[in-house]
Amino acid sequence: MKPSTVLYKDASVPVEIRIDDLLSRMTTHEKVMQLNQYTLGNNNNENNVGEVAGELPAELGSVIYYNDNPDLRNAYQRRCMEESRLGIPCIFGYDMIHGFRTIYPISLGQACSWNVPLVERMTSYAAAEGRMSGVDWTFSPMIDVARDPRWGRVSEGYGEDPYANAAFCAATVRGYQGKSLADSTTIAACLKHYVAYGASEAGRDYVYTEVSPQTLWDTYLPPYKAGVDAGALTLMSSFNDISGIPGSANYYTLTEILKNRWKHKGFVVSDWGSIEQLVNQGNAADKKEAGLRAFNSGLEMDMMSHAYDKYLEELIDEGKVDSVLLDESVRRVLRVKMLLGLFEKPYTGNHPDRFMRPDALSAARQLAAESMVLLKNDSTGILPLDGVGRIAVIGPVAKSSASLQGSWNGRGVYDETVTLYQGILDRFAPEAEIRFAKGSDLDKTTEVELAQAVDTACWADVVILCLGEERRWSGENASRSTIALPEAQLQLAEKIAATGKPVVMLLSSGRPLDLSQMEPLANAIIEVWQPGTAGGAAAADILSGDVNPSGKLAMTFPRSTGQIPIYYNRRGSARRHQGFYQDIPSTPLYPFGHGLSYTTFVYGEPSVSSSTFRKGEKVTVTVPVTNTGLRAGAEAVLWFISDPAASITRPLMELKHFEKRELKPGETTTFKFVIDPMKHLSFPDADGNIILEPGDFKIIVGPHTVNLVME
Ligand code: GLC
């Protein structure tokens, strides 16, 4: 006789029927508890210190899991399954932003690789490490379009362009969620921070964001739509006040757009304390009102405000919260748990070999190398290094593993990081002799240190000067009033340049930097970002030419902090030849899309299937690209559209397609962009209605512009 399985525990029954059955059995208290997230394990996030519940209730919906071993999870999960009345499994979330134990480049660096398939593959490896460690759900991808590098969180997203953020968002959702969420190697994704957090005023964190409805639809919502379309099961509401209505109490974004228009079937979790913080923002008189506003706006789960567990039942009793909305919210959470297979497999198995697997490490090294951007390589042609006898590795970042891991480095172990120095040693010694001098700390130096560095430089044939940021200078709660490096590092660079030795500058940072004073002091400059576990090895791959650099900037490098905001897809000025700065050029130091190679690529004349077409017709534009150099290399071809005259002004150019391919020396290959007018030439109005207007359009690819007319 088969043991009687209650309906909601029967995996052969359709999920919605199971949820109906379970909801019918739940008390109001049990429903409310599903909408709360506490913490479990050792919270090492210094920005979020919250009360650690002594004894976690067995009816709790979710925890943030600060551990990389499943034992603690399984022990608590067993309480949820066996001590609660209905045995509803808990869902364990965690910030796996660019890796779990194997750490990959920060997302801003990943975007510069323009290698979507590689990012998707790397994300699947990260998901496997996390799921096999007890994490079912990651608070990633972060897809906040950002144009102010004073904001430390530019490191976490995919740069200044909506389309790039959308493309990498969809790739990470596919990577995390895979083909089946019930697999022991996939996890639920979480699109964050919904929405427009990247518009943080003056690059400060947690502050007001002035976002017009038009800009909300033009710039900030597209990556979220791409993530929802890719099947992302969850989102995280943002801290920021969106022009008067904070992201965590915004009915228009959380319900009207996400649920009513986009038909999202998962749930939204708040950011840490963002419900309670509505009081600070002046949107609620107290935590109870904050809970009311947040819940009725469509925010399902409360991360650590303790507003829902404390007040939701009261609000229901007072008739201020509708029990229908309560059931719908709980349904969404239960749906995700069932899709993850948590009712059938609530516990995590034992996988001792889950970390740093060869395929993960190989992807980490490849993605790190492809994320690095060769910003400068002057006529001395110092790179790639070839047959050098004496190499001086100098600078405060040379032996730093923390800098290379960056912020949100998950369960990364610093000692497992290949530093820049170690990578150079492994690749170039013993053929080359390597010497090290720190020369300065990140933000101070001494005459003795400078003198030692100068001596070491004078001894060498070439200097690799490793400068940049400390890992906590970017990421959350890490705004900086200037994007120039500290004076001490400039002083070191000047001293080294004065020796007259060839200098290759490696920069490790979580944001674009003001390099105006640094640029003249080096023959070559590579932005290595925060490249993760294999960072030093990847840097050596680039320095040696084993890998030809292919990175292109996904975020503009301004000439100075004073130019911010400066980004490529801005609207046109009323006067094309006026309105410039009087004291510096008004162009960036390195524009969006900039990145050099050790070979050269020539873009031939584009061809177009028809330069005149009607709304319903597609147009194909192709361009031949030739590797005219002597070295194989990969080229990311970026395709932009321009709509020079529209009823709502459009950016001067907008990225709408990109593709990256490896070309052998002398090889010519044809890149193609199939233009679907409704997808590529339309734009939203201030309420998201799609507009497609006939008229002139331009397609921009490399140095070429193709004129099209839509009738
Ligand atoms: C933080 C961050 C968010 C993160 C969450 C949980 O405050 O804003 O990105 O996922 O809290 O750690």
Side-chain angles (χ1 to χ4, degrees), residues 626-684:
T626 304
N627 176 350
T628 52
L630 302 175
R631 185 186 288 269
E635 175 70 352
V637 171
L638 309 182
W639 295 83
F640 302 86
I641 67 111
S642 173
D643 182 352
S647 59
I648 297 173
T649 60
R650 308 307 306 146
L652 292 171
M653 52 196 285
E654 295 177 86
L655 181 69
K656 292 290 182 181
H657 177 60
F658 62 86
E659 185 187 352
K660 182 175 189 178
R661 278 192 225 153
E662 182 85 16
L663 280 80
K664 299 185 191 66
E667 180 183 3
T668 296
T669 184
T670 299
F671 287 81
K672 179 166 69 172
F673 178 17
V674 179
I675 297 160
D676 173 349
M678 187 47 92
K679 183 179 173 194
H680 299 115
L681 305 181
S682 66
F683 55 87

Side-chain angles (χ1 to χ4, degrees), residues 29-104:
H29 176 71
E30 287 163 336
K31 290 175 182 176
V32 166
M33 289 310 289
Q34 284 299 307
L35 305 181
N36 287 275
Q37 182 180 67
Y38 295 179
T39 64
L40 176 61
N42 175 26
N43 173 5
N44 60 357
N45 181 343
E46 64 271 17
N47 293 317
N48 292 332
V49 180
E51 63 187 86
V52 177
E55 166 92 337
L56 290 178
E59 299 77 16
L60 190 58
S62 175
V63 292
I64 303 180
Y65 189 54
Y66 296 106
N67 200 301
D68 55 16
N69 182 309
D71 297 348
L72 183 64
R73 168 232 167 83
N74 288 340
Y76 174 59
Q77 187 74 300
R78 196 166 303 287
R79 291 192 48 233
C80 295
M81 299 306 288
E82 297 175 1
E83 291 177 22
S84 70
R85 191 172 67 87
L86 295 167
I88 300 173
C90 175
I91 179 172
F92 294 73
Y94 184 65
D95 291 284
M96 178 167 42
I97 311 301
H98 52 106
F100 186 75
R101 173 67 171 269
T102 306
I103 303 302
Y104 302 90

Side-chain angles (χ1 to χ4, degrees), residues 37 45 47-48 64 66 94-95 97 139-140 142 153 156 192-193 197 205-206 236 239 270-273 303 408 476:
Q37 182 180 67
N45 181 343
N47 293 317
N48 292 332
I64 303 180
Y66 296 106
Y94 184 65
D95 291 284
I97 311 301
F139 306 134
S140 167
M142 190 273 208
R153 304 201 78 166
E156 299 175 45
K192 74 181 188 183
H193 307 75
Y197 184 23
D205 210 352
Y206 313 116
M236 179 182 291
F239 288 126
S270 78
D271 201 336
W272 183 293
M303 179 193 288
W408 295 110
E476 183 178 357

